[in-house]
Amino acid sequence: MPSYQQIFENNKAWIASKTINDRNFFEKLAQNQQPDYLYIGCSDSRVTAEDLMGAAPGEVFVHRNVANLVNSIDLNVMSVINYAVKHLRVKHIIVCGHYNCGGVKAAMQPVDMGILNPWLRNIRDVYRLHKDELNRIEDEGKRYDRLVELNVQEQCINVIKTAVVQQRYLEEGLPTVHGWVFDLHSGRLVDLNINFEKILKDIREIYDLTKK
Ligand SMILES: [Zn+2]
């Protein structure tokens, strides 16, 4: 772990590494951003968005919170989605969860977590929606892993429920929404192959917001 002072030394080394082959790297970076990807992931320090994707500065618009939740009254995540879809015009929206997620683990304990209660409620709601499937899994570790995956799936649905995603998709056929899980044990990214088209069609009856 670098010391506080070491971080600034690391920064100098990073600048040197970026400019060694491209003297104008930062001038170009400062001009504009046109990322193709919006990444919504967990705040967990072990799940580093750009690193695990091998992405460079300017390529991914990132939002992180505890347990990668997309809550419709969270002005923060909703503003991020709105800006990314409407103004940056990203082509892909990724919700990335991870196994061993502390937020998901906490939500599995039926105890008072104080200020975290309303946040964790979103994950407890995912559990309630998928109670039958989850309760059939006897192994607690496997049940925990499955809740991580189902949470990603439900947060993808929450993204698809937003007016801005539906309206731009109707006009341009973009953006599409993807659900991923990062496996901390292997470093592997798993694509859950969320069926974006089918979800969009299925939720229309109740959540269609394409008419103004
Ligand atoms: Zn987490």
Side-chain angles (χ1 to χ4, degrees):
M1 181 110 37
S3 67
Y4 184 78
Q5 201 46 49
Q6 183 67 42
I7 288 172
F8 293 89
E9 297 304 318
N10 290 353
N11 174 249
K12 283 180 199 154
W14 177 74
I15 293 168
S17 75
K18 293 292 172 197
T19 49
I20 192 161
N21 291 323
D22 182 359
R23 283 178 53 199
N24 302 319
F25 179 86
F26 289 102
E27 276 160 44
K28 283 189 269 179
L29 197 64
Q31 277 167 18
N32 202 5
Q33 63 163 337
Q34 274 186 313
D36 282 347
Y37 302 93
L38 164 59
Y39 169 102
I40 300 168
C42 184
S43 298
D44 192 302
S45 61
R46 299 164 297 178
V47 189
T48 52
E50 292 94 338
D51 258 15
L52 63 90
M53 294 169 74
E59 293 178 347
V60 190
F61 198 61
V62 173
H63 177 79
R64 292 169 69 179
N65 62 37
V66 171
N68 41 271
L69 298 180
V70 178
N71 183 321
S72 68
I73 56 165
D74 173 8
L75 200 55
N76 191 345
V77 73
M78 285 299 139
S79 303
V80 165
I81 292 172
N82 206 281
Y83 183 71
V85 172
K86 239 180 163 162
H87 302 283
L88 297 175
R89 308 196 80 73
V90 295
K91 295 173 181 152
H92 304 272
I93 301 176
I94 296 143
V95 177
C96 184
H98 67 103
Y99 299 127
N100 301 72
C101 181
V104 172
K105 180 104 183 160
M108 285 176 83
Q109 328 291 324
V111 290
D112 180 5
M113 297 271 183
I115 190 72
L116 276 171
N117 288 337
W119 193 254
L120 298 178
R121 164 84 78 83
N122 297 287
I123 310 168
R124 291 184 170 129
D125 288 343
V126 173
Y127 201 113
R128 180 173 52 80
L129 274 172
H130 298 275
K131 192 169 73 129
D132 292 345
E133 182 191 336
L134 288 163
N135 285 350
R136 275 199 301 273
I137 306 172
E138 283 180 23
D139 183 273
E140 204 188 325
K142 290 202 175 90
R143 196 159 70 238
Y144 176 22
D145 286 353
R146 185 60 185 143
L147 183 55
V148 165
E149 294 166 4
L150 290 169
N151 181 46
V152 168
Q153 184 182 305
E154 290 300 328
Q155 304 317 315
C156 286
I157 295 171
N158 287 342
V159 174
I160 300 168
K161 285 176 191 165
T162 62
V164 73
V165 169
Q166 292 179 17
Q167 288 165 6
R168 192 170 145 229
Y169 188 78
L170 191 71
E171 288 163 15
E172 292 179 37
L174 287 170
T176 46
V177 177
H178 313 271
W180 294 353
V181 175
F182 177 67
D183 185 348
L184 281 168
H185 296 287
S186 63
R188 208 161 61 91
L189 265 182
V190 181
D191 190 338
L192 297 178
N193 292 313
I194 298 292
N195 193 334
F196 173 72
E197 289 274 353
K198 185 175 183 300
I199 294 170
L200 192 63
K201 205 165 145 252
D202 288 351
I203 67 167
R204 278 196 88 117
E205 186 188 343
I206 300 167
Y207 299 98
D208 184 1
L209 301 178
T210 53
K211 293 179 213 72
K212 285 181 188 168

